[in-house]
Amino acid sequence: MARNKSILTEARQIERGWHEVLAGDTRAAEKRLRKVLAGSPGLMPAEIALAYARLRAGAHEDALRGFASVLERKPDSVSAVVGSAIALARNGRAE
């Protein structure tokens, strides 16, 4: 039961992080998502949200590293593929 509560808490924090990303508050999103990842390293939904926060903040190389980390473990992650393409295009490296 305690783990279920933890999963629900993580999900809520990731959702809030996404809302912050969409609102343009990337600092708050990064802080929140890094805290989630500190408690659950490798949690892909949080990693993807953090990579999008970095992308929105203009840190395209950081975002690419985040997306690449996800794609190494889940090559069919559409969110990570799309995020990578956006980051590459913004860096002028789209092919």
Side-chain angles (χ1 to χ4, degrees):
M1 181 74 165
R3 180 65 188 143
N4 288 341
K5 185 176 180 180
S6 175
I7 292 170
L8 183 57
T9 299
E10 289 170 346
R12 286 182 181 147
Q13 291 303 309
I14 294 167
E15 181 181 16
R16 287 180 182 141
W18 273 114
H19 285 286
E20 291 163 341
V21 170
L22 295 173
D25 192 354
T26 56
R27 285 186 183 183
E30 287 183 44
K31 182 178 178 181
R32 182 180 307 279
L33 295 164
R34 288 185 195 283
K35 186 174 179 181
V36 170
L37 288 166
S40 294
L43 185 63
M44 277 193 248
E47 287 183 331
I48 291 169
L50 179 59
Y52 274 99
R54 299 300 297 143
L55 182 63
R56 179 91 189 246
H60 304 132
E61 291 298 324
D62 285 348
L64 278 170
R65 282 189 290 276
F67 294 129
S69 173
V70 171
L71 289 169
E72 286 174 7
R73 291 171 284 144
K74 192 170 189 318
D76 62 344
S77 170
V78 174
S79 296
V81 169
V82 170
S84 293
I86 294 168
L88 286 169
R90 290 188 181 164
N91 263 352
R93 295 177 19 204
E95 299 173 13

